[in-house]
Amino acid sequence: RLNPLTFLNPDDIESITVLKDASAAALYGSDASNGVILITTKKGAKGKLNVNASASYGIAQTINEIKFLNTPQWLELARETAFNSGQNPATAGDDTFDTDWRSLVRRTARNADVDLSISGSTQKGLRYRVSAGYNVLESLHQRNGLSSGTASGRIDWKINDKLSVNARLSYGQQRKDNLGSFGVFTFVPNISPYAEDGITFNQQGT
């Protein structure tokens, strides 16, 4: 489930007003019992053509990670546990594989934000604004993140004291990846990351 506000480019927001209690109920009735948020978007700038562009980029990496046992360390404890429980230590498994599950699912996450807007007005009182934005927010785990793109256009034209035209067209597209890979933190290290076919990812953990 996605928040509908994510389809709105933050660069297009002029102001945010919060209505609550009687002020909200007076306008919107019982549907406003939890309050109402009013978002006003920007209009075209008065005067000559105005072009604004901004871009930012960043990365995220893990620090102070918890160290997990490798196969020799894990087998040593598993065999001691089996021996102390009166079981055969050989049932703990073999050392054919030494899989670092955390390294398989982690990555250096990228965060990028690009915005472009063009606005202005004409001598006949027509104000216009066109904007576009693209945002990428990745998680430290692969196949987890959100990317979105937005585009909008707005015109405000006061033809005379009695007639005005206001129009706004917007477009938004999102992609959300939410692969549940956090379970691999409980996988033992002495198993292959792939199933018997050598292609399918091993999701058994044992």
Side-chain angles (χ1 to χ4, degrees), residues 44-50 118-122 126-129:
K46 292 184 178 180
K48 61 181 181 179
L49 181 68
N50 190 345
I118 301 173
S119 64
S121 62
T122 66
L126 174 65
R127 298 173 64 179
Y128 59 89
R129 189 175 192 274

Side-chain angles (χ1 to χ4, degrees), residues 4-114:
L5 293 179
T6 58
F7 288 98
L8 180 63
N9 187 350
D11 191 56
D12 290 337
I13 297 176
E14 178 72 28
S15 64
I16 298 177
T17 304
V18 179
L19 302 180
K20 58 181 180 179
D21 302 328
S23 59
L27 295 173
Y28 301 97
S30 60
D31 291 336
S33 58
N34 292 325
V36 176
I37 298 177
L38 301 179
I39 299 177
T40 304
T41 56
K42 295 179 181 178
K43 297 181 179 180
K46 292 184 178 180
K48 61 181 181 179
L49 181 68
N50 190 345
V51 179
N52 291 314
S54 64
S56 63
Y57 181 83
I59 61 173
Q61 294 179 321
T62 56
I63 60 173
N64 299 328
E65 292 188 70
I66 299 175
K67 293 184 179 181
F68 290 84
L69 300 178
N70 57 26
T71 292
Q73 295 168 335
W74 184 84
L75 283 177
E76 180 180 358
L77 292 178
R79 288 165 181 165
E80 289 181 3
T81 300
F83 179 80
N84 293 333
S85 301
Q87 301 175 0
N88 184 0
T91 58
D94 56 42
D95 58 357
T96 304
F97 300 99
D98 188 7
T99 304
D100 186 352
W101 293 97
R102 275 61 60 184
S103 296
L104 287 177
V105 300
R106 282 197 313 260
R107 66 179 172 185
T108 298
R110 301 178 300 120
N111 302 307
D113 187 52
V114 180

Side-chain angles (χ1 to χ4, degrees), residues 175-197:
R175 175 186 174 91
K176 183 179 182 181
D177 293 322
N178 189 22
L179 179 66
S181 59
F182 293 92
V184 302
F185 278 67
T186 63
F187 285 12
V188 296
N190 67 328
I191 61 174
S192 171
Y194 299 101
E196 294 182 357
D197 58 10

